[in-house]
Amino acid sequence: MGVSMVSTVAELVRADHGPLALESMPVTGLMRTASLTGPITDSAASATAFATGHKTTNRALGTYPDGSRHPTLAELAEAKGLATALLTTTDLTDASPAAFAARVANRKEHVEIFEQMVATDIDLLAGGLRSAAVRFDRPTTKPAADKPYPISDGLRTRAAAAGRLMLTDPADLPTTTDDRTRLLLAYPERSPLDDAFGPRTAATLAAALPMLASDPDGFFLFAEIEETDCAGHAMDTDRAVAGVLELDEALRVALDFQKDHPDTLILVTADHDTGGMTLDNRGDYDSPRAEVLWISGNHTASLVGVYAAGPGAEAFTGVYENADLFTRIRDALALPHKAD
Ligand SMILES: [Zn+2]
């Protein structure tokens, strides 16, 4: 969701929807997303960079060519006693949430990622389990891509063995959390063809925020909406609009929460742009009309925006590397430099 996608969708919806909540964020910065592989990153390398402060090669997740190991923001938050949560509308074991809680050489190792994630102290993990379940269950017939895959009893057992309780409905989330809370909210598939799971992000956030806010030490929450990346790969304008609007709806929930909890810092960003979406008027400057153009169905090197509101937001201005976002978040939250 690069600056070009946000600005294009903002124009497309402005007449019916008004300005995006994103456009009300008081502080903005621009972030470079290149990986050690080159100018074009994948989600694993970019999420690893902002989760740990160290860039890596594409497809690596929390691992580096030099074999080094670095704590993630979620681990540092746990070390400080904060409540923690990782939420996504795609597979929980997909690269962006996994970068905060797993270390594998290749992002496709979904079962290993699942095992590592459920074994952490993170209070709440929420997302789909399809990729991990299909690899774990090894069904004899290939599951149809357009049919939901059932939530795996095998994974439920593995989660329980790691001391983590599996739920399927955000309404079942408790309203308080403590040091022993370790939940897995396993989402049914929203729409199998769309690679989307669970309720809208605004609903999950509304259910998770009271629980996290009950921790007197505060909380660190990461929530991902996958739809903007899917839209870019499909070069699908309607999906890009839907993805940005789902984000905007979730951001409004966060901003409402911030009104009652003014010590909350909110950041919105992306791990990279996909599609290079823009508007084009075919050179007709007398026309009010413009049509959507996509560069390709791949990731691009466009800068992504960082939109900030709340205490410490000023630290997120400027143009900087995705790895530097880690340092700025760590320092804004006064997290320790080591997890143990
Ligand atoms: Zn992608």
Side-chain angles (χ1 to χ4, degrees):
M1 191 191 69
V3 170
S4 59
M5 181 181 281
V6 173
S7 33
T8 303
V9 172
E11 294 314 316
L12 293 175
V13 304
R14 194 173 303 279
D16 291 336
H17 185 278
L20 298 174
L22 258 185
E23 296 173 275
S24 74
M25 298 292 270
V27 177
T28 54
L30 292 169
M31 191 165 77
R32 179 172 175 260
T33 64
S35 73
L36 288 188
T37 301
I40 311 285
T41 192
D42 77 335
S43 290
S46 193
T48 295
F50 63 56
T52 70
H54 294 267
K55 286 185 188 267
T56 189
T57 46
N58 292 349
R59 289 186 280 280
L61 190 69
T63 59
Y64 309 86
D66 65 1
S68 56
R69 181 186 171 95
H70 304 285
T72 75
L73 285 170
E75 290 164 349
L76 297 178
E78 280 290 336
K80 197 186 173 187
L82 275 64
T84 48
L86 303 176
L87 322 177
T88 183
T89 60
T90 187
D91 274 306
L92 174 66
T93 53
D94 202 33
S96 304
F100 289 89
R103 293 171 178 84
V104 292
N106 188 304
R107 60 183 291 179
K108 296 288 182 200
E109 296 171 46
H110 286 279
V111 175
E112 176 61 26
I113 293 168
F114 176 85
E115 301 271 16
Q116 291 188 27
M117 290 182 88
V118 296
T120 64
D121 289 330
I122 293 168
D123 297 50
L124 174 63
L125 302 171
L129 294 180
R130 183 184 179 110
S131 295
V134 169
R135 286 167 177 80
F136 186 85
D137 293 347
R138 296 180 184 274
T140 46
T141 52
K142 194 172 186 292
D146 62 346
K147 294 259 170 26
Y149 188 83
I151 289 174
S152 164
D153 285 338
L155 291 184
R156 188 190 300 267
T157 305
R158 286 301 178 98
R164 188 172 287 274
L165 176 65
M166 189 189 283
L167 309 170
T168 55
D169 186 345
D172 295 334
L173 284 179
T175 52
T176 60
T177 183
D178 62 35
D179 290 347
R180 294 179 307 275
T181 304
R182 290 165 72 233
L183 301 170
L184 169 60
L185 189 50
Y187 288 148
E189 292 180 43
R190 189 189 292 185
S191 163
L193 277 178
D194 289 352
D195 190 27
F197 300 82
R200 290 176 72 77
T201 304
T204 314
L205 265 190
L209 282 169
M211 169 187 146
L212 297 167
S214 74
D215 190 319
D217 298 312
F219 66 89
F220 172 82
L221 175 148
F222 167 88
E224 176 194 36
I225 292 165
E226 181 71 10
E227 189 71 358
T228 50
D229 183 52
C230 296
H233 285 301
M235 297 192 282
D236 183 330
T237 299
D238 289 345
R239 287 185 72 177
V241 169
V244 173
L245 289 182
E246 179 167 349
L247 164 66
D248 219 53
E249 181 187 65
L251 176 58
R252 285 172 205 273
V253 170
L255 289 166
D256 275 349
F257 176 87
Q258 191 187 48
K259 281 189 193 123
D260 295 332
H261 303 81
D263 54 347
T264 308
L265 171 63
I266 301 172
L267 299 172
V268 181
T269 191
D271 44 15
H272 54 75
D273 178 62
T274 307
M277 184 190 202
T278 191
L279 286 169
D280 179 65
N281 71 351
R282 296 176 177 267
D284 181 357
Y285 292 94
D286 296 317
S287 168
R289 293 163 54 85
E291 62 191 42
V292 173
L293 281 188
W294 294 90
I295 293 174
S296 78
N298 301 316
H299 298 179
T300 80
S302 293
L303 298 177
V304 299
V306 179
Y307 309 82
E314 318 74 46
F316 295 88
T317 56
V319 183
Y320 46 93
E321 295 291 338
N322 51 4
D324 292 338
L325 183 64
F326 164 90
T327 316
R328 290 169 194 234
I329 295 174
R330 184 193 64 192
D331 294 347
L333 302 184
L335 299 179
H337 290 217
K338 288 188 179 155
D340 40 38

